[in-house]
Amino acid sequence: MKTLQALMLALCLAGTASVHAQVGPTAAEAARYQGLHAAAQAGDAARIASLATAGADLDARDAHGRTPLHVATFAQKRAAIQALAKAGAKLDLLENDRYDAVTIASVANDEETLRLLLSLGASAKQVTSRYDGTALIAAAHLGHAGVVQQLIAAGAPLDHVNNLHWTAVIESIVLGDGGPRHQATLKALVDAGANLQLGDREGRTPLQLAQARGYAEMVKMLQAAKGR
């Protein structure tokens, strides 16, 4: 019973983090922005270039630790992202909740912005969030299969274990709904060679977790890969 209660608490906490930690600027915050933050929010690439030439701090922080790049990523302003990168903005900084631009785009299921960030040299390998996770774990949790495939191709660590003792494979199961999106996510991880023997804190393997949740398609997939 205690083990079940602990699992449910962890599920609740992880789900809460997904909903609340990825917080973009509010309308009120955006209205108060000046300089590069305002240009990033508006997607004004020309203004970004002008301010950068004038010596503006490309990595300045707002009250939540967001740089102009974070703001542009939340706003899906890809021209602004390109302008900031061209001017020399750092691509892998973390904001106050310990998210980088890659993880922000991944959680938003924004494949186009993620593709741009990775092409510009942003890393898919960083440890992010209060759970010491990765963009890959966050995307697997949410069943963003296309994002997961991009991150895998960019060298994201397949078997990183967060401080809940979960991998991307485990999160695709225990925080997923067992449906097509999470099945596709799990398949991408399996096909990429993720370690399917790594268990949770109680030693339960992905196969055992899928069986316990009654996720028949995931069980079939994991059984087919068993012993790999």
Side-chain angles (χ1 to χ4, degrees):
M1 178 64 74
K2 288 183 179 180
T3 298
L4 178 59
Q5 289 174 335
L7 176 61
M8 293 306 295
L9 176 59
L11 289 170
C12 179
L13 290 172
T16 299
S18 170
V19 172
H20 296 297
Q22 289 278 326
V23 179
T26 65
E29 286 176 319
R32 292 194 296 269
Y33 278 152
Q34 297 180 353
L36 281 172
H37 282 89
Q41 179 70 31
D44 190 340
R47 179 65 174 157
I48 288 170
S50 176
L51 289 168
T53 299
D57 182 357
L58 294 166
D59 303 313
R61 306 278 188 159
D62 70 8
H64 294 275
R66 306 184 197 99
T67 66
L69 183 72
H70 294 136
V71 170
T73 303
F74 274 120
Q76 302 183 354
K77 301 296 187 180
R78 287 176 280 277
I81 291 171
Q82 288 180 308
L84 287 163
K86 182 177 181 180
K90 294 177 182 177
L91 303 180
D92 295 321
L93 296 177
L94 305 180
E95 40 89 271
N96 287 356
D97 284 316
R98 297 179 55 202
Y99 289 96
D100 61 347
V102 164
T103 308
I104 291 166
S106 296
V107 168
N109 202 22
D110 184 356
E111 293 191 45
E112 190 171 348
T113 296
L114 176 61
R115 188 173 294 109
L116 173 61
L117 287 164
L118 294 173
S119 74
L120 292 169
S123 175
K125 301 178 181 180
Q126 292 204 104
V127 175
T128 66
S129 88
R130 70 192 71 177
Y131 292 100
D132 297 327
T134 61
L136 182 64
I137 290 177
H141 163 183
L142 295 165
H144 296 336
V147 167
V148 165
Q149 290 169 345
Q150 280 199 57
L151 293 170
I152 290 171
L158 290 174
D159 301 318
H160 179 84
V161 180
N162 66 17
N163 61 26
L164 295 172
H165 216 275
W166 291 342
T167 62
V169 167
I170 289 175
E171 289 222 2
S172 75
I173 299 166
V174 301
L175 295 180
D177 59 10
R181 293 182 306 107
H182 287 94
Q183 291 170 28
T185 296
L186 178 60
K187 184 178 187 305
L189 293 164
V190 170
D191 289 349
N195 187 335
L196 305 180
Q197 305 309 313
L198 289 174
D200 66 6
R201 204 180 300 278
E202 284 73 40
R204 293 168 296 193
T205 66
L207 176 56
Q208 291 170 330
L209 290 164
Q211 288 171 329
R213 295 178 73 83
Y215 292 164
E217 292 303 316
M218 287 182 159
V219 169
K220 289 178 185 177
M221 197 184 309
L222 293 165
Q223 284 177 330
K226 192 173 181 181
R228 193 195 59 197

